[in-house]
Amino acid sequence: MNNFGFDEKQQLVELLLKCPSIENVGTRNLVLQELPSQISTAIIGNPASKVHVLGIVNTCRNFPDGLEHLFKVIRLFDGATIPFQELIENFPIIKSLPVILEKKPENEESNTDVEVNEVNVVEVNEVNVVKEKKPPPTPTKATLSIDWLSGCSGCEVAFADLHEQLPSVLKNEVELVRLPILMDTKEYVSADIGMVTGSIRTEHDIDAAHAMRKSCKTIIALGTCPVYGGPHGGGYAHTTDELLDRSFVHNPSTRTTVIPTDIPKLLKESRTLDSEIKVDVYMPGCPPHYAFIIEGLRALLSGREPTMGQHNVCFDCVRSMDKTDVKTLRRSYEGEFEPNLCFLSQGILCFGSVALDRCRRAPCPTAGVPCFACGGPSLPVILEPQMDVWTLIAERMAHLTEIPKAHIVNEIKKQAKTHYAYAMVSPIFRYKPTSPLRKTLIQHIEKGN
Ligand code: SF4
Ligand code: SF4
Ligand code: SF4
């Protein structure tokens, strides 16, 4: 298996890079975590994907079953995908790989060595066909209950983004017992795992959160809303009376004139889920990429901690941070922008460097839109009380352009309601000594900014 030349190795790297779990550095790291620790710790990280994957292949080749382990893990993530099938189909060495060892089930009777070998061997006999000599035991399925509080249902849609993996996940791994977007279930059915989307914004949300906590063994806060308060945290700058008036009375796009009274009462502000109930697992992202959702579920099912990821959005962004002589700030709708140059270098605020990557491959900057940190703050911002987003961004941008830092800080303050919306009600920001957020917001609203 390990005896192949440079051309074949290059081809293998190219094909691996097409596999969804390897293509993105976030899930690639999840794959590496599943390798035996002596292999994963020997792999050296590299920001260039091709160099990183080449290093992974080279390291795995240094261990007797290294490549077999690697393919086994990738198959777990991508088994049903076209790129993985292309990998098997087009790469002759994998195609001829005689066995991929499967973990022996703990409750399997070990009669003789011969029988054990037969049970544990899965043969790849032909392209796309995995033929098993004996079917593996049916894994225990966990029951999954999902409820939404104040949110937009985007997180439920992200669950459906599992696409072709969804039937297999529902068949083999979790049994959905509650999902209001799909099922007309009003009761809070007992479940092993409870996923809560949306934030605590109304009195109904408080009751629903407690009902989920009572009925589920493990609670996952799914999405930026329950983890940090969500985009409607922008309401932090207003009173509930102002919000209701703007929504129902003085709203240019509706004809209502009366604030309804038969709806759940709005609370003073949006709150995180853990402000009301105990949360076991946090999965931020608006919504989290489905790869993180499935990884989190599988981690729980196998009794380990789900991975949060450590990179910021810049890590995966194709734009380069180059020094320019730009002297003026612009907003993203003002003029044309270079597609390959970092927004900061062009005088536009982009929060990718202080945003946790929960979206994979920097989708917004790649599509021409600056990142507004919907995945929530990056790990340094979360962990360091004194780390101030304004200073971090302003210093980086001032370094990349000719724009004075004070101008940039002022512009961030003006746009704070937009850029901080996703996490502004979270205690992470609210109690930062460097974050007089509410005062700043109200000052700018009063000035009409
Ligand atoms: S986290 Fe984002 S996608 Fe999920 S419910 Fe909240 S606003 Fe919608
Ligand atoms: S700041 Fe924005 S545009 Fe610049 S590298 Fe980071 S994500 Fe890309
Ligand atoms: S705004 Fe930033 S964090 Fe959110 S999806 Fe876009 S790139 Fe990802």
Side-chain angles (χ1 to χ4, degrees):
M1 179 63 205
N2 289 344
N3 298 325
F4 51 78
F6 180 77
D7 288 348
E8 286 166 311
K9 187 165 70 174
Q10 199 177 8
Q11 189 188 10
L12 174 58
V13 169
E14 299 291 348
L15 289 167
L16 283 171
L17 279 165
K18 288 184 186 170
C19 289
S21 65
I22 296 295
E23 184 187 20
N24 174 266
V25 69
T27 44
R28 194 186 309 145
N29 288 333
L30 303 181
V31 168
L32 298 187
Q33 283 174 20
E34 294 299 322
L35 294 176
S37 59
Q38 71 271 27
I39 302 179
S40 58
T41 51
I43 294 169
I44 297 168
N46 195 298
S49 290
K50 200 177 264 188
V51 179
H52 190 204
V53 175
L54 186 62
I56 292 170
V57 169
N58 282 337
T59 308
C60 286
R61 288 176 71 193
N62 290 335
F63 292 84
D65 296 326
L67 283 174
E68 283 89 339
H69 280 295
L70 180 66
F71 295 131
K72 180 179 156 188
V73 179
I74 296 172
R75 189 183 61 177
L76 181 72
F77 283 81
D78 300 333
T81 65
I82 291 171
F84 184 78
Q85 291 173 13
E86 276 178 359
L87 181 71
I88 295 175
E89 192 174 339
N90 294 322
F91 197 71
I93 287 181
I94 299 176
K95 199 171 164 185
S96 64
L97 185 65
V99 291
I100 294 177
L101 296 176
E102 292 288 321
K103 189 179 174 194
K104 183 188 166 197
E106 279 172 12
N107 58 356
E108 189 72 47
E109 283 179 20
S110 53
N111 296 333
T112 67
D113 285 349
V114 175
E115 282 186 346
V116 168
N117 285 339
E118 284 189 350
V119 168
N120 291 338
V121 170
V122 175
E123 288 190 359
V124 182
N125 285 345
E126 47 185 285
V127 177
N128 299 346
V129 176
V130 179
K131 190 176 170 189
E132 298 179 4
K133 290 200 170 174
K134 279 189 186 176
T138 310
T140 312
K141 282 169 74 171
T143 43
L144 174 65
S145 171
I146 303 180
D147 198 18
W148 52 3
L149 311 183
S150 290
C152 76
S153 76
C155 284
E156 283 78 1
V157 174
F159 190 67
D161 276 347
L162 286 167
H163 295 299
E164 70 265 27
Q165 290 189 55
L166 189 56
S168 152
V169 169
L170 294 179
K171 185 172 170 218
N172 301 317
E173 297 173 72
V174 292
E175 180 190 345
L176 263 180
V177 294
R178 187 176 203 281
L179 176 55
I181 199 170
L182 281 182
M183 303 156 77
D184 188 20
T185 312
K186 303 282 189 293
E187 297 74 30
Y188 286 90
V189 189
S190 296
D192 299 311
I193 301 172
M195 271 187 176
V196 180
T197 68
S199 71
I200 305 279
R201 191 72 183 89
T202 69
E203 286 182 347
H204 163 81
D205 296 334
I206 294 178
D207 295 340
H210 284 283
M212 284 296 282
R213 181 71 270 182
K214 218 169 157 188
S215 57
C216 304
K217 290 182 198 152
T218 300
I219 287 286
I220 300 174
L222 179 71
T224 298
C225 285
V227 176
Y228 297 118
H232 36 298
Y236 186 46
H238 301 273
T239 65
T240 39
D241 286 343
E242 284 169 347
L243 294 173
L244 289 168
D245 180 76
R246 186 65 170 165
S247 300
F248 295 106
V249 184
H250 296 102
N251 184 326
S253 64
T254 62
R255 293 182 183 172
T256 52
T257 53
V258 180
I259 297 168
T261 52
D262 55 351
I263 53 174
K265 194 168 170 230
L266 264 192
L267 303 175
K268 257 175 43 191
E269 58 208 13
S270 180
R271 287 202 268 118
T272 58
L273 183 61
D274 64 5
S275 70
E276 198 58 47
I277 61 167
K278 178 176 175 288
V279 168
D280 302 300
V281 178
Y282 295 86
M283 286 192 200
C286 185
H289 191 278
Y290 73 84
F292 289 108
I293 299 178
I294 192 64
E295 192 281 331
L297 274 176
R298 285 179 178 155
L300 283 177
L301 295 177
S302 58
R304 62 180 170 79
E305 284 283 313
T307 308
M308 183 83 137
Q310 298 189 357
H311 299 302
N312 58 20
V313 170
C314 294
F315 189 83
D316 248 358
C317 181
V318 293
R319 293 171 179 264
S320 60
M321 283 186 176
D322 296 336
K323 172 80 180 154
T324 65
D325 59 2
V326 167
K327 294 183 180 53
T328 47
L329 283 157
R330 284 188 291 167
R331 295 199 175 176
S332 57
Y333 51 83
E334 294 175 332
E336 300 273 314
F337 299 101
E338 281 285 329
N340 299 318
L341 185 59
C342 173
F343 279 118
L344 297 177
S345 304
Q346 303 184 66
I348 306 130
L349 286 173
C350 179
F351 283 67
S353 59
V354 289
L356 192 67
D357 172 23
R358 301 289 294 170
C359 47
R360 298 180 78 198
R361 300 170 69 193
C364 300
T366 305
V369 181
C371 171
F372 43 90
C374 75
S378 59
L379 291 192
V381 176
I382 295 171
L383 297 173
E384 297 292 333
Q386 299 289 346
M387 200 160 263
D388 169 0
V389 170
W390 299 351
T391 313
L392 288 174
I393 294 288
E395 275 175 0
R396 182 166 284 125
M397 195 176 194
H399 174 72
L400 290 169
T401 63
E402 302 290 325
I403 305 170
K405 183 179 156 190
H407 289 198
I408 302 166
V409 169
N410 197 38
E411 176 68 8
I412 296 173
K413 286 181 181 175
K414 282 188 195 170
Q415 296 190 38
K417 200 159 87 172
T418 311
H419 287 299
Y420 281 109
Y422 292 80
M424 72 164 63
V425 297
S426 162
I428 288 171
F429 279 124
R430 192 180 295 192
Y431 301 128
K432 262 186 190 286
T434 52
S435 181
L437 192 54
R438 187 167 206 154
K439 196 168 144 226
T440 305
L441 285 167
I442 291 169
Q443 278 170 359
H444 281 282
I445 288 164
E446 282 168 356
K447 282 189 207 158
N449 287 325

